[in-house]
PDB file of all heavy atoms in Angstrom:
ATOM      1  N   VAL L 266     -48.735  22.775 -52.125  1.00  0.00           N
ATOM      2  CA  VAL L 266     -49.189  21.555 -52.806  1.00  0.00           C
ATOM      3  C   VAL L 266     -48.892  20.384 -51.874  1.00  0.00           C
ATOM      4  O   VAL L 266     -47.741  20.167 -51.514  1.00  0.00           O
ATOM      5  CB  VAL L 266     -48.467  21.352 -54.150  1.00  0.00           C
ATOM      6  CG1 VAL L 266     -48.893  20.027 -54.781  1.00  0.00           C
ATOM      7  CG2 VAL L 266     -48.742  22.499 -55.101  1.00  0.00           C
ATOM      8  N   PRO L 267     -49.931  19.653 -51.456  1.00  0.00           N
ATOM      9  CA  PRO L 267     -51.364  19.868 -51.739  1.00  0.00           C
ATOM     10  C   PRO L 267     -51.959  20.968 -50.858  1.00  0.00           C
ATOM     11  O   PRO L 267     -51.269  21.527 -50.014  1.00  0.00           O
ATOM     12  CB  PRO L 267     -51.970  18.508 -51.396  1.00  0.00           C
ATOM     13  CG  PRO L 267     -51.076  17.962 -50.313  1.00  0.00           C
ATOM     14  CD  PRO L 267     -49.684  18.431 -50.660  1.00  0.00           C
ATOM     15  N   GLY L 268     -53.236  21.258 -51.094  1.00  0.00           N
ATOM     16  CA  GLY L 268     -53.968  22.206 -50.262  1.00  0.00           C
ATOM     17  C   GLY L 268     -54.052  23.608 -50.818  1.00  0.00           C
ATOM     18  O   GLY L 268     -54.530  24.505 -50.129  1.00  0.00           O
ATOM     19  N   GLY L 269     -53.608  23.787 -52.067  1.00  0.00           N
ATOM     20  CA  GLY L 269     -53.661  25.113 -52.672  1.00  0.00           C
ATOM     21  C   GLY L 269     -54.713  25.182 -53.760  1.00  0.00           C
ATOM     22  O   GLY L 269     -55.901  25.313 -53.504  1.00  0.00           O
ATOM     23  N   VAL L 270     -54.264  25.056 -55.004  1.00  0.00           N
ATOM     24  CA  VAL L 270     -55.170  25.169 -56.148  1.00  0.00           C
ATOM     25  C   VAL L 270     -56.090  23.954 -56.264  1.00  0.00           C
ATOM     26  O   VAL L 270     -57.253  24.082 -56.656  1.00  0.00           O
ATOM     27  CB  VAL L 270     -54.356  25.356 -57.449  1.00  0.00           C
ATOM     28  CG1 VAL L 270     -55.275  25.309 -58.674  1.00  0.00           C
ATOM     29  CG2 VAL L 270     -53.594  26.678 -57.412  1.00  0.00           C
ATOM     30  N   GLY L 271     -55.592  22.763 -55.932  1.00  0.00           N
ATOM     31  CA  GLY L 271     -56.361  21.535 -56.134  1.00  0.00           C
ATOM     32  C   GLY L 271     -57.796  21.581 -55.637  1.00  0.00           C
ATOM     33  O   GLY L 271     -58.727  21.291 -56.410  1.00  0.00           O
ATOM     34  N   PRO L 272     -58.034  21.946 -54.377  1.00  0.00           N
ATOM     35  CA  PRO L 272     -59.408  21.969 -53.874  1.00  0.00           C
ATOM     36  C   PRO L 272     -60.315  22.965 -54.597  1.00  0.00           C
ATOM     37  O   PRO L 272     -61.540  22.815 -54.591  1.00  0.00           O
ATOM     38  CB  PRO L 272     -59.246  22.371 -52.401  1.00  0.00           C
ATOM     39  CG  PRO L 272     -57.835  22.006 -52.062  1.00  0.00           C
ATOM     40  CD  PRO L 272     -57.052  22.217 -53.308  1.00  0.00           C
ATOM     41  N   MET L 273     -59.699  23.983 -55.226  1.00  0.00           N
ATOM     42  CA  MET L 273     -60.498  24.994 -55.917  1.00  0.00           C
ATOM     43  C   MET L 273     -61.145  24.449 -57.176  1.00  0.00           C
ATOM     44  O   MET L 273     -62.191  24.943 -57.603  1.00  0.00           O
ATOM     45  CB  MET L 273     -59.616  26.198 -56.270  1.00  0.00           C
ATOM     46  CG  MET L 273     -59.129  26.999 -55.083  1.00  0.00           C
ATOM     47  SD  MET L 273     -60.495  27.767 -54.178  1.00  0.00           S
ATOM     48  CE  MET L 273     -61.153  28.876 -55.431  1.00  0.00           C
ATOM     49  N   THR L 274     -60.541  23.430 -57.787  1.00  0.00           N
ATOM     50  CA  THR L 274     -61.037  22.961 -59.075  1.00  0.00           C
ATOM     51  C   THR L 274     -62.447  22.397 -58.966  1.00  0.00           C
ATOM     52  O   THR L 274     -63.339  22.756 -59.739  1.00  0.00           O
ATOM     53  CB  THR L 274     -60.066  21.916 -59.660  1.00  0.00           C
ATOM     54  OG1 THR L 274     -58.791  22.527 -59.856  1.00  0.00           O
ATOM     55  CG2 THR L 274     -60.569  21.391 -60.991  1.00  0.00           C
ATOM     56  N   ILE L 275     -62.685  21.519 -57.985  1.00  0.00           N
ATOM     57  CA  ILE L 275     -64.030  20.956 -57.829  1.00  0.00           C
ATOM     58  C   ILE L 275     -65.007  22.032 -57.358  1.00  0.00           C
ATOM     59  O   ILE L 275     -66.159  22.082 -57.812  1.00  0.00           O
ATOM     60  CB  ILE L 275     -64.021  19.762 -56.865  1.00  0.00           C
ATOM     61  CG1 ILE L 275     -63.208  18.605 -57.446  1.00  0.00           C
ATOM     62  CG2 ILE L 275     -65.450  19.301 -56.559  1.00  0.00           C
ATOM     63  CD1 ILE L 275     -63.148  17.374 -56.573  1.00  0.00           C
ATOM     64  N   ALA L 276     -64.578  22.910 -56.472  1.00  0.00           N
ATOM     65  CA  ALA L 276     -65.466  23.985 -56.010  1.00  0.00           C
ATOM     66  C   ALA L 276     -65.912  24.850 -57.182  1.00  0.00           C
ATOM     67  O   ALA L 276     -67.078  25.263 -57.261  1.00  0.00           O
ATOM     68  CB  ALA L 276     -64.761  24.828 -54.952  1.00  0.00           C
ATOM     69  N   CYS L 277     -64.994  25.122 -58.103  1.00  0.00           N
ATOM     70  CA  CYS L 277     -65.342  25.945 -59.272  1.00  0.00           C
ATOM     71  C   CYS L 277     -66.205  25.178 -60.265  1.00  0.00           C
ATOM     72  O   CYS L 277     -67.020  25.782 -60.975  1.00  0.00           O
ATOM     73  CB  CYS L 277     -64.074  26.465 -59.942  1.00  0.00           C
ATOM     74  SG  CYS L 277     -63.254  27.776 -58.986  1.00  0.00           S
ATOM     75  N   LEU L 278     -66.050  23.856 -60.319  1.00  0.00           N
ATOM     76  CA  LEU L 278     -66.956  23.049 -61.136  1.00  0.00           C
ATOM     77  C   LEU L 278     -68.391  23.208 -60.640  1.00  0.00           C
ATOM     78  O   LEU L 278     -69.331  23.385 -61.433  1.00  0.00           O
ATOM     79  CB  LEU L 278     -66.531  21.582 -61.068  1.00  0.00           C
ATOM     80  CG  LEU L 278     -67.499  20.568 -61.678  1.00  0.00           C
ATOM     81  CD1 LEU L 278     -67.571  20.727 -63.180  1.00  0.00           C
ATOM     82  CD2 LEU L 278     -67.064  19.137 -61.310  1.00  0.00           C
ATOM     83  N   LEU L 279     -68.575  23.170 -59.330  1.00  0.00           N
ATOM     84  CA  LEU L 279     -69.910  23.358 -58.754  1.00  0.00           C
ATOM     85  C   LEU L 279     -70.416  24.767 -59.031  1.00  0.00           C
ATOM     86  O   LEU L 279     -71.592  24.965 -59.366  1.00  0.00           O
ATOM     87  CB  LEU L 279     -69.861  23.091 -57.256  1.00  0.00           C
ATOM     88  CG  LEU L 279     -69.364  21.708 -56.819  1.00  0.00           C
ATOM     89  CD1 LEU L 279     -69.282  21.627 -55.298  1.00  0.00           C
ATOM     90  CD2 LEU L 279     -70.252  20.599 -57.372  1.00  0.00           C
TER      91      LEU L 279
END
Side-chain angles (χ1 to χ4, degrees):
V266 176
V270 173
M273 292 296 297
T274 299
I275 295 180
C277 287
L278 170 68
L279 302 176

